[in-house]
DNA sequence: TCCATGCGCGGCC
DNA sequence: GGCCGCGCAGTGG
């Protein structure tokens, strides 16, 4: 299947759109992977990410998110048992920063955050990867951390200072 | 090929 | 009835 690298909003699914399960979320096109939290591959950039409480080091401050990269977890316990590497989805997010690509953010009810929905999953708009770095996580292993900042889109107050260009087709 | 931030069912409180 | 924990399925990057 030919997969277009669609960054930015998905027509028909505005910010605030809610979904019951990952399958529905996948069908919408907002976030195709049915399990993985990062949608994207290495050098192509990441289309979207999901916050669902999977990684303890993630911090959600609403318009700013410290998102944890994937990898290094024990598949059974979900605990960090190894260092994360800058590959796969982590590398994709790094490319978002490098090329200024927006990433869709979806919050799930499992995320321990006041900004998380009470049930299911909710599309919370576009963020940009402001920075990323490696640090030691709570479990004592290196993790990759990405600072996501919400892209504020002015409704239609003329073409005033839109600090971040709304992502059209790339 | 391998990896990934689910989901449902059953048991216990 | 609701919460929690275990076990398994299965698609896309």
């Amino acid at each position: 299947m030919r997969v277009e690298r669609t960054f930015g909003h998905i027509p028909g699914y505005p910010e605030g759109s809610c979904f019951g399960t990952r399958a529905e979320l996948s069908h919408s096109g907002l976030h195709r992977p049915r399990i993985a939290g990062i949608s994207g591959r290495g050098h192509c950039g990441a289309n979207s990410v999901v916050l669902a409480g999977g990684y303890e080091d993630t911090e959600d401050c609403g318009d700013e998110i410290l998102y944890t990269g994937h990898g290094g977890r024990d598949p059974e316990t979900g605990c960090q048992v190894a260092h994360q590497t800058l590959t796969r989805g982590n590398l994709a997010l790094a490319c978002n920063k490098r090329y200024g690509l927006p990433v869709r953010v979806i919050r799930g009810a499992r995320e321990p955050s006041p900004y998380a929905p009470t049930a299911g999953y909710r599309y919370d708009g576009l963020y940009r990867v402001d920075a990323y770095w490696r640090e030691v996580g709570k479990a004592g292993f290196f993790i990759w951390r990405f600072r996501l900042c919400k892209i504020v889109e002015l409704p239609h107050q003329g073409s005033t200072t839109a600090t971040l260009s709304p992502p059209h087709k790339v």
Side-chain angles (χ1 to χ4, degrees):
Chain A
M1 177 189 290
R2 182 164 305 285
V3 177
E4 296 185 16
R5 294 183 295 279
T6 52
F7 291 88
H9 291 296
I10 299 295
Y13 296 99
E15 180 176 335
S17 297
C18 296
F19 304 87
T21 65
R22 286 292 293 265
E24 297 175 24
L25 182 62
S26 176
H27 186 260
S28 74
L30 285 171
H31 186 81
R32 288 204 190 87
R34 306 180 77 159
I35 300 177
I38 302 173
S39 173
R41 303 192 67 177
H43 54 280
C44 298
N47 300 311
S48 53
V49 298
V50 169
L51 281 77
Y55 287 80
E56 61 181 357
D57 294 299
T58 293
E59 294 178 33
D60 184 6
C61 302
D63 57 355
E64 181 177 318
I65 299 169
L66 292 183
Y67 192 81
T68 307
H70 62 188
R73 292 200 314 170
D74 184 289
E76 295 183 3
T77 66
C79 299
Q80 293 295 140
V81 294
H83 300 307
Q84 291 185 350
T85 58
L86 195 60
T87 56
R88 295 174 178 265
N90 300 347
L91 182 58
L93 278 171
C95 288
N96 281 56
K97 152 70 177 172
R98 185 171 189 173
Y99 300 116
L101 298 170
V103 61
R104 291 184 293 273
V105 168
I106 294 96
R107 284 187 174 89
R110 289 187 173 186
E111 181 67 18
S113 153
Y115 303 96
T118 55
Y121 299 86
R122 186 189 62 219
Y123 173 45
D124 281 340
L126 301 175
Y127 285 65
R128 70 188 178 90
V129 181
D130 193 61
Y132 67 92
W133 62 90
R134 191 181 70 163
E135 67 180 51
V136 177
K138 293 178 180 176
F141 296 94
F142 282 122
I143 61 168
W144 282 95
R145 173 157 283 186
F146 301 86
R147 186 155 69 110
L148 308 180
C149 294
K150 178 143 190 173
I151 299 175
V152 179
E153 300 174 62
L154 301 179
H156 51 74
Q157 302 192 357
S159 56
T160 50
T161 57
T163 57
L164 298 157
S165 58
H168 294 297
K169 183 115 181 184
V170 178

